[in-house]
Amino acid sequence: MSSSPQTLFQKIWDSHVVAEEPGAPTVLYIDLHLVHEVTSPQAFSVLKERGLKVRRPERTVATMDHSIPTKGGYEAADELGRIQLRLLEANANANNVRIYGLNSVQRGIVHVIGPEQGFTQPGMTIVCGDSHTSTHGAFGSLGFGIGTSEVGHVLATQCLLQRKPKTCEVHIDGALRAGVTAKDIILAVLAQIGVGGGTGHVFEYTGAAIRALDMEGRMTVCNMSIEGGARAGMVAPDDKTFNFVNGREFAPKGAAWDQAVARWRRLPTDAGAAFDKTVTLDASTLEPMVTFGTNPGQGVAITQPLPLPSSLADANERAGLEKSLAYMKFEAGKPILGQPVDVVFLGSCTNSRIGDLRAAAGLLKGRKVAKHVRMMVVPGSQSVKQAAEAEGLDKVFKEAGADWREAGCSMCIAMNGDQLSPGQLAVSTSNRNFEGRQGKGGRTVLASPLTAVASAVAGRIADPRVLMNQS
Amino acid sequence: MSAPKFTTLTARCVVLPVIDIDTDQIIPARFLKVTDKLGLGEKLFCDWRYLDSGAPNPAFILNQPEAKGVEILVAGHNFGCGSSREHAPWALVGWGFQAVISTMFADIFKGNSVKNGLIPVVISPDAHAALVALRAKNPDLEITIDLPSQTVSWPGQTPLMFPIDPFSRTCLLEGVDELGYLQKFQPQAEAYEAAHA
């Protein structure tokens, strides 16, 4: 065993090396492979062509999330969507892979149900044909998105060819002020480093502000690591992590649990371990954040004016900012507060868990969504939906005038019919504000669930702290 | 299914100088309901390439006469950021591109590209600016990408080395099938599983 101090990432990487040949990438073992309907069909086709089966069905979990309607079941999907959903079922069944199908009461967004069912555990390598697999790093695992060719590789061999990425510590000290959340932390990180700042790196989030977050908040932060270009984002596991995992269906039980926790306690980065790069942020100075442009790195504190292209020295960056502002129909130098809103979307693998819904409902209770605003609330899983309904949160949303839906990715990726019309402005708790991401011609402002609710009530982009102070 | 091969390419290019082009622009999510790889080239850059009427947008570079027959895309910094969809390189290859030149690529896109025979060529910001300026004066400019020597060049430019993973390079030069390569390690994988059971 090496005596030099190691990072959390290094420990997980080293313990998953199957083989290394000179000049070739590492053959890395994959503990958990999550599969959904959109990025798997062509991978299963490759297996079929070669007469291969899924090598470790027990390490493979399938769910339907991207293409599924949030109302009306299969019949509400378009023809291609129905074909894709049926094909996932057929592929899973032919390979004895566990599938959370449309009628499953536990179905949901792949990055919500992984942790919820206890599949996601500290120290694991976790992949999925989905870039937001970084979410699972909140548990002290190494989770990252892969392409469809690699989905085929993992289905067939349970291994992946990978070059070791560099590490970047994202150190966030200080305590969050009221009305400022995990989502605001990650939007602030992205505003600082830009959408390419983490390329080639794995993030480890450290510091008092990260330790203070609950598991859902840590998932929100890790989820958007990829928006900074980092394929994975991690948080060292602690008692909060273990308490979250304990008792879930696929978590270790009895003596195996005790052994697992003992192993997991050795995972955190050792004192003195070196990172290739460090980024720091003071959480105590943060305000609610919103994006104003067409990538998640174009964010600003909600009270601040939008940046001026003339403030950028690089001509390409200047052109990029001008293009973003033109698409968003926002004016440089002007405040974003008060911009009229058409749609509010509360959902996605970033912010659709029970804590997100509780926070949103807490602020919305006894209030109404502005008349001209359409608010959609889409729980991250059917389990989240049931929990919310048991607490009466659905009633709060419905009484306020919001639409309460079945679980799925929904308007985050707009593949299932839930989408913006051209020109509409949405405040969305999702993760991407790319041009047309929520529907062709749609304009997206990313924000926390609190900011989303405040904006729904005001009918304009609004600071949640104002509404909170009126309670 | 045969593995893609690439040795050398001399071809004309088009320039799309926008920075941070994400995979949602390369291929919008509404086209990801396919269960094969066919037809995605027609949807490449769909929302920039077509007007709301469905007619080609004459202002977009791929709709201009000079784009006919080009095989290289010169794009802005951080090309391919965002989602992991391999549909992005499928769409680029489907259109007819064999290489993209930029100053940086997103990690997942880069990995997906080489697996489909699409070469991500990284050059310095200065070289990129010089290439864009030269191409503006000469639409017939031909670029040569030579994988054995790992270089890119164009008239007046001595060959520039570009980084590419040596394993990916070998796979592309020799047509190595990565899944076939990985399958050779199944005994080691079984030993790993036995040791970690």
Side-chain angles (χ1 to χ4, degrees), chain A residues 146-205:
Chain A
I146 56 177
T148 295
S149 295
E150 293 178 315
V151 170
H153 296 175
V154 180
L155 289 175
T157 70
Q158 207 58 39
C159 294
L160 207 49
L161 287 166
Q162 288 292 301
R163 293 282 178 193
K164 189 159 79 174
K166 293 180 177 164
T167 55
C168 174
E169 180 183 19
V170 182
H171 187 79
I172 306 169
D173 264 331
L176 290 173
R177 296 182 291 191
V180 187
T181 67
K183 182 64 164 284
D184 303 300
I185 290 182
I186 189 62
L187 288 175
V189 169
L190 297 170
Q192 183 174 323
I193 67 169
V195 281
T199 302
H201 292 76
V202 163
F203 289 153
E204 183 181 339
Y205 299 96

Side-chain angles (χ1 to χ4, degrees), chain A residues 15 21 24-25 29 42 50 52 55-56 78 84 130 147-149 157 163 200 415 432 434-435 437, chain B residues 20 22 24-25 29 32-33 36 48 82-84 86 104 107 112 165 167 177 181 183 186 190 192-193:
Chain A
S15 65
E21 277 195 346
Y29 195 78
Q42 297 87 349
R50 300 187 185 206
L52 301 170
R55 186 166 173 275
R56 288 285 171 244
D78 63 14
Q84 207 171 50
D130 192 291
T148 295
S149 295
T157 70
R163 293 282 178 193
M415 284 186 69
R432 288 187 174 138
F434 299 144
E435 288 182 26
R437 169 77 179 188
Chain B
D20 301 322
D22 58 81
D24 275 85
Q25 306 317 310
L32 306 189
K33 289 181 194 165
D36 54 30
W48 291 354
S83 107
S84 63
E86 199 161 323
M104 187 174 89
D107 291 330
N112 287 340
D165 185 281
F167 180 76
D177 168 56
Y181 174 85
Q183 283 179 294
Q186 288 304 283
E190 277 165 29
Y192 178 92
E193 285 168 335

Side-chain angles (χ1 to χ4, degrees), chain A residues 7 51 77 179 235 262 338:
Chain A
T7 61
V235 173

